[in-house]
Amino acid sequence: MSRFFHLVIVTLAAFSMCIPAAWAVEAPLAAEKSSEEVLTLDSAMEIALENNAAVKEAQQHYLAALESEKSARADFLPKLSASYIYTNLKDQPYMIFNGMQIPANSEEIYQWNITAVQPLFTGFALFSKYEMARYGVDLQETTRFLAELDVAQRVREAYCHVLLARKALDVSDEAVGNLESHVRDAQRFYREGMIPYNDLLKSKVALAGAVQNRTRARANADLALSTLNAVLRFDINRSTQVQDISDITEVLHDPDKLTEEALSRRPELSVLRIALENADAMIRLARSGYYPVVSLVGRYERAGDNPQADNNDYTNDHNAMVALQAQWQFFEWGKTRAEENRYARERDALMERLSEAEDMVRIDVKNSLLDMDVSRKNIITAREALDQARENYRLVDLQYRQQMTTSTEVLDARVYLSQAQMNYYGALYGYMISQARLDRAVGNIPGRTSSR
């Protein structure tokens, strides 16, 4: 009995030692399984917008602009300063009164003061600088949205390219399978003396070409997936799984409405409009040189012959003052006028650039709409052609097995079918890419809106 209990205890101990090892094995498997989660287009966009370096950089510039705005706002508030001065004179200062030298101060002088300066009027310079700082915030916010817009388009196009490349690989696999079956039929017919040897060679050459095409299609699919991984900031060799999109939702677009939305939402136009507002602020800043600068100054000071400056045998050791200070630089040989004219000319140049950019946006929207219309019509045509090509291949292959046609007809039918398949998938995913480019042209990220 004691040996039995000893055996049980040893068994339980061994089992308890295996438990951590089992968990250690299961953990990587679970992590590997989670890494193979199928990505949808929406989740891929969220990952890209969160991880993209350009978006993160734009966010940091935006935060920096917010700090600049805080700095400009602080200029409206009073400035406090302090100073401490120690002076050691070679000779003691004195005054001459009725021919007598009367000491006026000690040889060692300690002075300190605290000064407050509150700007009252700066010719609208401070207000203009604050406006420019706020425009800087708007500019960086728009730049961030521009980066997000570009990333959204890139990930959508990369996603569709992955799907298209995988469809091309599927088509290549199907073609290889069909031609392998055809070669087996041709070999049987040749052994039975029903076809010449050159017909068999022709089938084998076609099969070899299909295998080569499949190898290239597999490489293209791998490259497309690496490109998507790069956009998502994943390891480029990661075996990312993506969800297929086989159906599309056709949406009727109003060209005039889309153009109007694009003109109001495109960040490139917003950047130029912000630059125009900033130019107006710079003109006002230049004009501030025509006005005096008025400030309220308050000071408390002490002077004495000890480091604390609280002992003075010659005059009062402390004092306070309030002053109204005005400074006006009214002549600079036309410098202020030249600065004003300079910014006015730059503003006119920006207006011309904005007008040209608006025309380019209109063309961009129209071109995207035309591409979508072409892709939509091609889908209908390609779907009909694909059905016909499948039926044609089925009939020709059946006829060949009954020796009612030649290998050439079968090979041609397979080529027609592969071409019809690629035309259909190209039109299908081309429509999705056109939709992504239209959203980019309008300034729209699905699920998000512009910041301005």
Side-chain angles (χ1 to χ4, degrees), residues 23-44:
W23 279 108
V25 172
E26 288 296 329
L29 291 177
E32 182 179 355
K33 183 177 180 181
S34 63
S35 67
E36 298 297 328
E37 292 181 357
V38 178
L39 281 181
T40 64
L41 180 56
D42 291 338
S43 62

Side-chain angles (χ1 to χ4, degrees), residues 51 97 128 143 195 204 246 334 368 377 436:
N51 295 339
F97 182 75
S128 298
T143 302
I195 62 172
K204 290 184 176 181
S246 57
S368 299
K377 293 178 180 178

Side-chain angles (χ1 to χ4, degrees), residues 424-440:
Y424 172 71
Y425 293 127
L428 179 67
Y429 297 115
Y431 181 89
M432 299 177 189
I433 292 175
S434 298
Q435 179 66 60
R437 292 175 179 173
L438 178 61
D439 286 333
R440 174 63 179 84

Side-chain angles (χ1 to χ4, degrees), residues 142-214:
T142 303
T143 302
R144 181 182 61 184
F145 179 69
L146 177 59
E148 292 176 348
L149 202 60
D150 289 336
V151 169
Q153 181 189 3
R154 285 177 56 198
V155 71
R156 292 172 72 183
E157 290 192 15
Y159 192 98
C160 291
H161 286 152
V162 168
L163 298 181
L164 180 59
R166 290 186 175 179
K167 291 297 184 183
L169 180 58
D170 292 341
V171 171
S172 298
D173 284 335
E174 181 182 328
V176 170
N178 291 154
L179 292 178
E180 286 176 341
S181 177
H182 175 69
V183 168
R184 288 193 295 268
D185 291 338
Q187 288 175 334
R188 187 178 74 253
F189 292 148
Y190 173 71
R191 286 193 302 266
E192 296 174 357
M194 301 176 65
I195 62 172
Y197 185 58
N198 64 320
D199 276 2
L200 176 59
L201 292 179
K202 187 183 300 182
S203 301
K204 290 184 176 181
V205 170
L207 175 58
V211 172
Q212 292 178 352
N213 291 337
R214 182 175 63 180

